[in-house]
Amino acid sequence: MNAVINEWILLLVLGSSLLPGLIIFGLAEERRGLRTTLNLFGALFKLFLVIWILWGVFNQQHYETRLELLPGLEFVLRAGPLALLFVSLSTILWLVTTIYAIGYLEGSPHRSRFFGFFSLCVTATVGVALSGNLITFLIFYELLTLSTYPLIVHRGTEVARKAGHIYLLYTIIGGAVLLLGTVWLYTITGTLEFTPRGFLADLDKTYHPALVIIFFLMIAGLGVKAALVPLHGWLPNAMVAPAPVSALLHAVAVVKAGAFGIVRIVYEVFGVDFAASLGVTRPLAWLAAFTIIYGSIRALYQDDLKRRLAFSTVSQVSYIALGVAIAGPIATIGGVVHLVHQGLMKITLFFCAGNLAETLGIHKISEMNGVGRRMPWTMTAFTIGAFGMIGAPPIAGFISKWYLGWGALETGQTWVLLVLLGSSLLNAAYFLPILHAAWFRQPPDKWPHEHDFGRKETAWALLLPPLITAVSALFVGLFAALPFSPLEWAELIAEREFYQP
Amino acid sequence: MPVFILNIPWAALLIIVPLIGMLLAFLFSSAARWMGFITVFLNLIAVLGLAQELSSNGVFQHTVGGWSAPLGIELYADGLSLLLLFTTALVSLGVAVYAAGYFSHSKASSFWPIWLMLLTALNALFLSSDIFNLYVTLELLGLSAVALTALAGGRAALLGAMRYLLTTLGGSLLYLLGVALLYHAYDTVDIQLLSQRVEISPVTWTALGLMFLGLSLKTALFPFHFWLPPAHSSAASPVSALLSALVIKASFYMMLRLWLELFSDFGVIDQVLGLLGALAVLWGSWQALRQTRLKLLVAYSTVAQVGYLFLAFPLAGGNQVFAWYAAGYLLISHALAKSAMFMATGNLLQYGNHDRIADLDRVVQRLPITAGAFAVAGVSIMGLPPSGGFIGKWWLLESALVSGRWDLVTVLILGGLLAAAYIFRVLGYTFTEAPVPHEAKRVPPAMQWIALILASASILLGFLAPQILPWLNIGDALIVVEAGS
């Protein structure tokens, strides 16, 4: 019985968001209660399953699902440490974002359609996390593109349609490039299983030039979603989507899937030592560093709040790529743990931006003067997120930067320290003025478009999620040394990659 | 093995049942729809029976009237024929459901008999084992298809049908010339006997050239595709579904068969076919992107997808049997996806009385099942995972990379990108409002759901490759037989 559960539970994790999503598609617009129930039930059930799996893995259980897809290739889902890290993040953040979305879209049209695609998007993300080989990863990666497109064009305006076009232009080409790299790799090696330390080190030297090209093809394909410069162009444009979509895209689903893919490729396809010996990690590190600085500089010039946050995402997600490319165990810890930390911090910031837009009609930073007095809780959460981005202790972002810097020193790549320092300064340069304006300037006589929520600052569904994620960002930083923290987890992953036989 | 399944001549039933159905539908025109439904249903049962027979006995062979080769008619079914018969049966079922809601009574009494004639011809074609019988069934197929195209009435349909008629007759004539040459040279029309006797000679080259030219014309391979967009786009939607999904596949099947059995040693032809296929993919996709009307877009998409099928010819050269699997798989997926797409387009036409892409007024909200069907079918057409189209594309890419054919790799990738461009162009417009909102007419739910079901079937194919391949391998259809052995 146990064996049966172990084989199928991962499919159940996928189903816990797929089935509610499909049912929600068929619901009439007015069935608000049923839709909310289905959404929350799905999210909670998924959380329950993930906790079960975590507990099982802690007790040496092994969860794997295999289905033959092509002769010689299987569809594989496996609950390894890296998978569990991403799945847990996705599940928790999905729950929080669902609550937020229910509040945000109150009164908006086409909610059934929205939540249907929303659930599909989460299914695809969880599939990306749990993939056990490259072809399964590719399937869910493309499904992610397909399920997020309707969310971007959700509003049905001409602007949304064009933003959808740009999104597809980047992501479909990225997917095609990734497909090419994957098939090519398959024709060389005959296997695509994710293996710690990679499975390419033993190949004949004549294949090395091909492997280098394959590496860059895959990084290009993944780099589109991970918003590596110059493939990041879709991200600022995608801000036309509703705030819950931006929150989900930037903290959890699309961008993280790309970064996660880069982690998988370097650690479990090529193996970090082999990749370093091929000479491909250096260019990746430079590209990541360039993206970090470029994103931050572009963020400085944005007045639209969501666009500034978008460029900040471009910059911050490359920390993960940088951690990977430095190719040392400490930097690995920094890069991998930033998957979680950046997720928590960025989703907080986007939730707050959504609150400002929904409650007061604020879209631009120039309109944010004195808003801290009108919406103190929201701005507190925003402040925590912003300080985390800058890297101020004890918030999560500090931990990631610390490990990245230490890792750079460990491998002798001291130039990375300059990049980290520069990035922190730039982060401060574009976040601190916002905080200053919000807390210390005089509010205007009238907000652009105020909604009345009575004595509350804003709706509970809009207020709780950013508070929860902000506190989480604080806690994972404060209590990083505790067992079961994301940091411990990242250390476990680094250990498997570098030290275990 | 249950006794009652033994000894039923399933293959003969596959030809007789639609034939009788056609006669009954013609005679009892008021009940034509019901005749059609029963026939299509029985057809599916017969295919399943044949499948059961093939799985237990291997290849099926039957001599009609006791008169065997070299001059008699033999029926022959192996894995490849079975797969095509099954696809035909499935798409037929779908089209029957769709057409029942689509046609008014007057048109219905013409549609059903001709459509059942088409089904007879298709089944007979897939069961033929000599090249003259193939000609007869091909001709029947072409004439029924033309009649169905003209059924829509109106100037555009008649012009499209006329061009189709001339092209199809021309193609059949060229093919017949080739048959005559081969018969004159080798004294038989039976394929298996021919495969033993064929040798490389000027006569055979000429026959090969003529036959393949004629069949390329009928399959709408670039640059012989000119007749397809007007014909497929002006026909009634169920007819378009049939034409794109099944009719052009029949002539492709013939080319595949002839190539595998007779002509595989004739080196340069496969490269030519591959080149034309590559051009078809690029040109068809590009033209699809430029269309303003949805039906024309879908028709040009067919031109492009046919090109993919021909890419298998050069790729299968280096012992890459996967290239043939890819062709077979793409054939089936495309049949399901394209029929779904034409049905969805027909629904949109009926809903808003037009098919202008830019004016698809918020269709995603008002006709969600139809929009969903189009999107899901589009996933297979684009070759995105998970779908039958993705599996086919994967195999083609694999063969191309192993053979070092970087030109074909580029074509495959570009083709997918262009397909994504024109599919998503349509989908983007389904979200937006049109400048002039149109008055919406009701579309029967059956017509919407059958489109979605067929589209989902093409996605389901993406998971069934390990189950389907053993069937395809019955009779070693896709293993090349050496000429002269």
Side-chain angles (χ1 to χ4, degrees):
Chain A
M1 181 62 189
N2 233 10
V4 174
I5 296 181
N6 287 5
E7 233 183 271
W8 298 109
I9 195 168
L10 293 177
L11 279 179
L12 205 54
V13 176
L14 286 176
S16 64
S17 49
L18 181 62
L19 285 172
L22 291 175
I23 299 175
I24 289 174
F25 273 129
L27 288 181
E29 219 24 56
E30 311 79 53
R31 305 289 300 273
R32 203 174 139 261
L34 184 56
R35 188 170 52 226
T36 309
T37 313
L38 275 172
N39 266 322
L40 288 174
F41 174 73
L44 287 167
F45 185 55
K46 195 196 285 292
L47 189 60
F48 165 73
L49 285 173
V50 169
I51 294 176
W52 175 308
I53 294 174
L54 282 170
W55 184 245
V57 167
F58 184 67
N59 288 323
Q60 310 299 336
Q61 295 280 349
H62 186 69
Y63 297 102
E64 187 168 311
T65 306
R66 302 189 85 96
L67 294 165
E68 200 185 350
L69 202 63
L70 286 167
L73 265 185
E74 283 173 311
F75 173 90
V76 180
L77 297 173
R78 197 184 308 126
L82 204 49
L84 288 173
L85 186 76
F86 194 25
V87 132
S88 315
L89 178 73
S90 308
T91 307
I92 295 171
L93 289 185
W94 181 39
L95 181 57
V96 168
T97 311
T98 304
I99 300 173
Y100 186 81
I102 293 173
Y104 191 87
L105 293 174
E106 194 59 41
S108 293
H110 314 316
R111 268 172 291 165
S112 287
R113 189 175 90 205
F114 180 89
F115 281 109
F117 284 120
F118 198 72
S119 305
L120 288 186
C121 182
V122 178
T123 310
T125 310
V126 169
V128 162
L130 289 173
S131 301
N133 63 9
L134 257 177
I135 189 167
T136 316
F137 181 89
L138 186 66
I139 293 175
F140 284 112
Y141 194 74
E142 294 284 47
L143 274 176
L144 192 57
T145 303
L146 292 175
S147 53
T148 45
Y149 170 75
L151 293 177
I152 293 187
V153 295
H154 177 77
R155 290 214 167 106
T157 58
E158 189 62 20
V159 172
R161 190 183 70 85
K162 292 224 169 79
H165 269 243
I166 298 181
Y167 179 66
L168 286 173
L169 181 68
Y170 280 89
T171 49
I172 297 277
I173 295 181
V177 169
L178 184 60
L179 173 67
L180 181 60
T182 306
V183 183
W184 193 355
L185 189 64
Y186 182 64
T187 59
I188 293 180
T189 62
T191 177
L192 292 173
E193 292 282 313
F194 287 140
T195 321
R197 315 269 188 79
F199 54 89
L200 300 177
D202 297 326
L203 280 179
D204 192 75
K205 269 204 158 23
T206 52
Y207 287 119
H208 284 196
L211 287 179
V212 171
I213 303 180
I214 292 176
F215 183 85
F216 284 117
L217 282 176
M218 289 186 173
I219 295 297
L222 295 165
V224 168
K225 287 213 167 91
L228 284 174
V229 168
L231 306 166
H232 66 290
W234 61 273
L235 192 55
N237 270 302
M239 290 302 94
V240 72
V245 178
S246 306
L248 196 63
L249 289 183
H250 290 249
V252 182
V254 175
V255 168
K256 280 295 152 54
F260 183 74
I262 296 180
V263 171
R264 281 276 202 207
I265 295 292
V266 175
Y267 291 147
E268 300 199 337
V269 173
F270 279 78
V272 71
D273 289 324
F274 180 63
S277 71
L278 273 182
V280 291
T281 48
R282 267 301 169 85
L284 182 60
W286 293 335
L287 189 58
F290 182 74
T291 306
I292 292 174
I293 301 294
Y294 178 82
S296 296
I297 294 181
R298 285 297 300 271
L300 273 176
Y301 290 101
Q302 304 297 323
D303 188 33
D304 185 279
L305 182 57
K306 275 170 85 174
R307 276 182 77 95
R308 182 171 288 198
L309 293 177
F311 277 107
S312 172
T313 301
V314 169
S315 168
Q316 287 277 329
V317 169
S318 286
Y319 280 27
I320 302 171
L322 186 62
V324 162
I326 290 177
I330 310 280
T332 301
I333 300 175
V336 168
V337 83
H338 203 54
L339 268 170
V340 176
H341 292 175
Q342 198 267 353
L344 289 172
M345 295 186 297
K346 205 22 109 21
I347 206 174
T348 310
L349 293 173
F350 270 103
F351 280 157
C352 297
N355 281 1
L356 291 175
E358 258 313 274
T359 319
L360 299 176
I362 292 178
H363 295 281
K364 296 193 180 309
I365 295 166
S366 45
E367 297 164 344
M368 278 176 73
N369 293 335
V371 78
R373 256 160 266 179
R374 168 71 177 79
M375 299 184 69
W377 287 109
T378 303
M379 284 316 293
T380 309
F382 190 94
T383 309
I384 295 177
F387 274 120
M389 288 287 170
I390 297 173
I395 308 172
F398 167 73
I399 306 279
S400 325
K401 289 199 190 184
W402 177 265
Y403 274 86
L404 283 173
W406 185 5
L409 277 178
E410 187 204 19
T411 54
Q413 299 176 61
T414 28
W415 60 275
V416 172
L417 281 176
L418 288 174
V419 171
L420 290 174
L421 191 60
S423 165
S424 296
L425 285 174
L426 285 168
N427 274 320
Y430 64 72
F431 273 124
L432 288 180
I434 303 180
L435 298 178
H436 177 261
W439 291 110
F440 298 116
R441 288 239 179 99
Q442 286 300 320
D445 299 319
K446 208 165 100 58
W447 300 107
H449 195 85
E450 187 160 359
H451 286 111
D452 191 21
F453 285 98
R455 285 179 45 223
K456 301 198 304 282
E457 174 177 322
T458 183
W460 277 118
L462 294 177
L463 194 53
L464 276 182
L467 286 176
I468 294 174
T469 51
V471 165
S472 309
L474 188 57
F475 275 16
V476 300
L478 264 178
F479 302 120
L482 284 184
F484 304 123
S485 71
L487 184 63
E488 288 287 309
W489 219 326
E491 286 176 354
L492 178 68
I493 293 171
E495 218 178 275
R496 268 176 27 129
E497 181 67 16
F498 288 93
Y499 295 127
Q500 278 175 6
Chain B
M1 190 155 48
V3 172
F4 71 86
I5 288 190
L6 283 171
N7 295 325
I8 301 183
W10 296 108
L13 277 184
L14 277 170
I15 303 178
I16 296 174
V17 163
L19 197 58
I20 297 185
M22 171 194 89
L23 287 171
L24 289 177
F26 182 62
L27 290 173
F28 303 109
S29 55
S30 50
R33 213 175 0 164
W34 292 109
M35 295 293 121
F37 267 124
I38 298 174
T39 311
V40 161
F41 185 66
L42 288 176
N43 183 56
L44 184 60
I45 305 247
V47 172
L48 291 173
L50 184 64
Q52 152 76 307
E53 186 165 346
L54 281 186
S55 73
S56 44
N57 294 344
V59 160
F60 167 83
Q61 243 167 320
H62 176 77
T63 320
V64 174
W67 295 17
S68 61
L71 284 181
I73 298 179
E74 280 197 5
L75 298 180
Y76 176 83
D78 63 6
L80 183 60
S81 349
L82 179 67
L83 211 53
L84 279 148
L85 287 166
F86 191 62
T87 311
T88 307
L90 277 182
V91 174
S92 307
L93 204 50
V95 169
V97 172
Y98 189 80
Y102 186 92
F103 284 110
S104 62
H105 180 73
S106 58
K107 285 255 162 68
S109 54
S110 321
F111 170 76
W112 289 98
I114 309 180
W115 148 224
L116 290 173
M117 168 83 124
L118 189 110
L119 184 57
T120 316
L122 271 173
N123 283 351
L125 193 147
F126 293 134
L127 287 168
S128 300
S129 81
D130 69 80
I131 51 180
F132 185 69
N133 211 30
L134 280 173
Y135 165 73
V136 172
T137 53
L138 190 66
E139 195 68 79
L140 263 175
L141 182 65
L143 292 174
S144 332
V146 168
L148 283 177
T149 311
L151 196 64
R155 194 162 169 272
L158 287 175
L159 277 177
M162 192 55 151
R163 196 178 293 184
Y164 188 12
L165 178 67
L166 293 173
T167 325
T168 203
L169 285 179
S172 313
L173 200 61
L174 286 169
Y175 176 77
L176 187 61
L177 274 175
V179 170
L181 277 175
L182 281 180
Y183 179 59
H184 173 76
Y186 300 112
D187 285 329
T188 179
V189 287
D190 182 71
I191 291 183
Q192 300 206 324
L193 287 177
L194 273 175
S195 71
Q196 290 157 10
R197 298 182 192 178
V198 144
E199 33 187 59
I200 302 185
S201 69
V203 172
T204 326
W205 269 107
T206 319
L208 166 61
L210 286 170
M211 289 166 105
F212 270 35
L213 188 58
L215 290 173
S216 300
L217 201 52
K218 294 179 84 98
T219 317
L221 175 63
F222 182 94
F224 310 117
H225 65 287
F226 53 87
W227 59 268
L228 191 144
H232 287 206
S233 64
S234 56
S237 299
V239 174
S240 308
L242 285 174
L243 294 176
S244 269
L246 298 176
V247 174
I248 53 177
K249 304 297 168 40
S251 36
F252 177 77
Y253 163 81
M254 282 171 64
M255 289 176 88
L256 189 57
R257 233 347 148 201
L258 293 173
W259 179 263
L260 287 168
E261 301 285 346
L262 305 180
F263 298 125
S264 54
D265 286 334
F266 289 74
V268 77
I269 296 287
D270 57 0
Q271 301 299 327
V272 172
L273 288 175
L275 176 65
L276 292 178
L279 289 172
V281 169
L282 296 174
W283 176 252
S285 307
W286 172 246
Q287 286 295 81
L289 199 49
R290 291 184 53 216
Q291 298 306 315
T292 53
R293 285 187 49 228
L294 192 53
K295 265 193 120 165
L296 274 172
L297 185 146
V298 182
Y300 272 108
S301 169
T302 301
V303 171
Q305 294 288 312
V306 159
Y308 280 108
L309 298 176
F310 283 96
L311 288 180
F313 279 90
L315 288 175
N319 251 342
Q320 296 292 323
V321 69
F322 279 104
W324 292 132
Y325 288 158
Y329 225 76
L330 282 173
L331 212 150
I332 320 172
S333 320
H334 180 250
L336 293 168
K338 197 38 79 59
S339 49
M341 235 185 218
F342 268 119
M343 289 180 188
T345 310
N347 289 345
L348 289 170
L349 254 173
Q350 183 155 332
Y351 182 71
N353 220 18
H354 73 83
D355 67 339
R356 290 188 304 276
I357 298 173
D359 290 334
L360 288 173
D361 189 22
R362 291 163 293 159
V363 163
V364 75
Q365 195 63 25
R366 296 152 86 193
L367 269 189
I369 302 174
T370 300
F374 191 92
V376 171
V379 169
S380 185
I381 299 281
M382 290 187 268
L384 287 180
S387 66
F390 173 70
I391 301 283
K393 190 166 153 185
W394 176 280
W395 274 329
L396 283 179
L397 269 175
E398 210 185 315
S399 321
L401 282 165
V402 169
S403 321
R405 292 296 302 260
W406 285 99
D407 51 343
L408 294 179
V409 170
T410 317
V411 167
L412 284 166
I413 299 285
L414 269 181
L417 293 177
L418 287 169
Y422 64 71
I423 298 278
F424 277 110
R425 181 163 161 258
V426 175
L427 290 178
Y429 277 115
T430 61
F431 280 88
T432 56
E433 241 179 283
V436 181
H438 47 243
E439 196 187 299
K441 289 200 216 74
R442 190 180 160 271
V443 180
M447 284 165 69
Q448 296 195 56
W449 278 101
I450 193 70
L452 186 58
I453 291 174
L454 281 177
S456 309
S458 74
I459 299 294
L460 200 61
L461 275 183
F463 293 103
L464 293 178
Q467 283 75 32
I468 293 182
L469 278 185
W471 289 101
L472 201 52
N473 277 328
I474 296 178
D476 291 328
L478 297 175
I479 311 295
V480 169
V481 174
E482 302 272 327
S485 67

